[in-house]
Amino acid sequence: MSSLSLRTTLAHPAYRAGLRDMAGVSLGIAAWGLVTGVAMVKGGLPVWMALAMTFTVFAGSAQLAVVPLMVLGAPMWVVWATAFCVNLRFVIFSAQWRPYFMRFPLRLRLAFGYLAGDINYVLFMKRHAEPPAAGEAPEGQIEYFCGSVTANYLAWQLPSLIGIVLANAVPTHWGLGFAGTLALLGLTYALVSDRATLLAAVVAGAAAVAAFALPFKLYIVVAIAAAVCVGLLIDGGGDAGRRLKRELGRLGFTRCPA
Amino acid sequence: MNMGAGEFLLTIAGLTAITVVTRSFFFLSERELVLPDWVKRGLRYAPLAALAAVVVPEILMSHGRLVAEPWFDARFHAAAAATAYYFWRRGILGTILTGMAVLLALRLGLGW
């Protein structure tokens, strides 16, 4: 099993690369963290509870989903079930993390899992698309991950803290949280590399809008499933995939931006 | 808020466990996990799909419905400006700042 030394990890160039790749997106994460902090307190959670929650639960969308339930006094199992459903997308992501993490002991894997947010996953899979073979330990991958989650943690928690403490002084009607959406919009464009990925993104967006009324943010899981199906259709080179490709070509999507 | 401190602490302990377990789900067990090849190929689309699934409703929907006339919505113009910036310069920071400048100008300037 591999171990991880704090000093060599922090000194590794890949750690800094992980930090650097988060730099642009951090502003969006920070805006979301701030707005989430404000929303928890304005939603009726006392300040000490909001603080305790952000520093333990560390899952923005789940926190936003369960605060109203807790304030209304919903049964504990309802609160937990809701958080579980909102977090289902992470279960999908964890399957892809596995080959990168399995060489580490369980204790470290749990820490990695706890810290691995959505954006860390997206950036990591963009940079290290090819998973290591069993028994291999490619240089720099875990250091990159550590840099990325450090930046994510700080960019989320510090503004969250400010939002909780200054909840009534932060103007929310300006729509500051939209900065988070814009950060993800830029990341989405960065991931669109060809016709297949463009179509997958369009299908995911449409599926999300169509399934939006589902409870517990399950529309995200539906959208992932739909996009994966379309991607497989095109990649698989079967008859349906070929026809889709041809139609896309006819529509002018022979090459994509990015 | 009429939840007692003890009940609250138990609730967030459970929520923290849910964060860890969902995010670690498929790498908790040491046992060999053999994903079929098509699943592995398909999962390559998951990051992009998750992003698009979050972004599109945030831009085009409000109060759980598709906005009928998005061109009267500040978010639509902010997203359009951000898109233009992204394909011009490819920087995420500039994309955010451009979009937010348009959003705030429309919200605060025109009261949209």
Side-chain angles (χ1 to χ4, degrees):
Chain A
M1 287 243 158
S2 304
S3 61
L4 205 57
S5 132
L6 188 64
R7 196 181 305 157
T8 53
T9 303
L10 297 184
H12 201 284
Y15 182 84
R16 256 165 293 147
L19 285 175
R20 209 172 36 242
D21 281 0
M22 288 289 290
V25 193
S26 287
L27 184 67
I29 298 172
W32 251 342
L34 182 77
V35 170
T36 302
V38 172
M40 284 198 292
V41 173
K42 288 214 169 149
L45 218 55
V47 169
W48 78 267
M49 287 188 180
L51 287 174
M53 201 166 176
T54 188
F55 285 110
T56 54
V57 181
F58 187 50
S61 49
Q63 284 164 228
L64 286 180
V66 299
V67 162
L69 298 173
M70 290 165 69
V71 171
L72 286 174
M76 209 177 288
W77 71 267
V78 173
V79 172
W80 287 345
T82 302
F84 181 79
C85 292
V86 172
N87 276 343
L88 265 183
R89 66 184 186 285
F90 290 121
V91 174
I92 301 175
F93 299 165
S94 74
Q96 245 174 323
W97 282 123
R98 181 179 164 98
Y100 300 90
F101 289 166
M102 276 321 281
R103 65 193 170 95
F104 295 97
L106 181 64
R107 194 170 38 84
L108 271 179
R109 297 206 301 275
L110 291 174
F112 293 161
Y114 176 69
L115 292 169
D118 299 87
I119 296 183
N120 304 124
Y121 166 71
V122 170
L123 288 176
F124 186 93
M125 294 304 163
K126 182 168 153 60
R127 189 177 266 253
H128 299 290
E130 211 46 58
E136 261 182 47
E139 171 85 14
Q141 286 189 346
I142 211 65
E143 290 82 0
Y144 179 86
F145 172 81
C146 290
S148 182
V149 294
T150 306
N152 182 57
Y153 191 85
L154 295 175
W156 175 266
Q157 292 292 28
L158 297 178
S160 250
L161 185 71
I162 294 170
I164 290 167
V165 176
L166 302 178
N168 295 311
V170 179
T172 45
H173 61 277
W174 291 0
L176 287 180
F178 199 65
T181 307
L182 292 169
L184 297 196
L185 183 68
L187 266 188
T188 310
Y189 293 143
L191 288 189
V192 172
S193 54
D194 56 11
R195 284 182 287 187
T197 44
L198 176 68
L199 187 66
V202 171
V203 166
V209 170
F212 195 77
L214 286 177
F216 311 132
K217 297 213 167 201
L218 287 175
Y219 66 89
I220 298 180
V221 176
V222 171
I224 293 175
V228 164
C229 287
V230 168
L232 285 174
L233 260 181
I234 295 183
D235 282 357
D239 190 41
R242 268 198 301 277
R243 267 182 289 165
L244 256 177
K245 241 182 196 162
R246 205 169 51 229
E247 287 303 318
L248 280 174
R250 199 176 297 161
L251 287 170
F253 291 118
T254 44
R255 283 195 315 143
C256 275
Chain B
M1 183 81 192
N2 45 24
M3 187 183 260
E7 193 190 350
F8 171 76
L9 293 176
L10 183 59
T11 305
I12 62 168
L15 289 173
T16 307
I18 288 165
T19 300
V20 174
V21 169
T22 52
R23 287 189 189 160
S24 313
F25 194 84
F26 281 113
F27 51 83
L28 285 173
S29 165
E30 300 277 338
R31 258 191 309 178
E32 195 73 35
L33 172 79
V34 186
L35 291 176
D37 197 44
W38 66 269
V39 172
K40 280 189 213 155
R41 272 189 294 126
L43 279 177
R44 288 193 300 113
Y45 292 93
L48 175 66
L51 286 176
V54 173
V55 169
V56 174
E58 291 276 350
I59 294 171
L60 293 180
M61 299 181 82
S62 101
H63 305 295
R65 286 171 169 279
L66 207 56
V67 175
E69 294 177 313
W71 37 93
F72 291 119
D73 191 320
R75 292 173 304 166
F76 178 80
H77 296 283
T83 301
Y85 181 91
Y86 181 83
F87 288 106
W88 178 41
R89 283 291 158 94
R90 314 256 155 193
I92 302 237
L93 188 62
T95 303
I96 301 172
L97 293 175
T98 306
M100 286 311 284
V102 171
L103 187 85
L104 291 178
L106 291 175
R107 285 253 161 100
L108 301 179
L110 300 180
W112 278 14

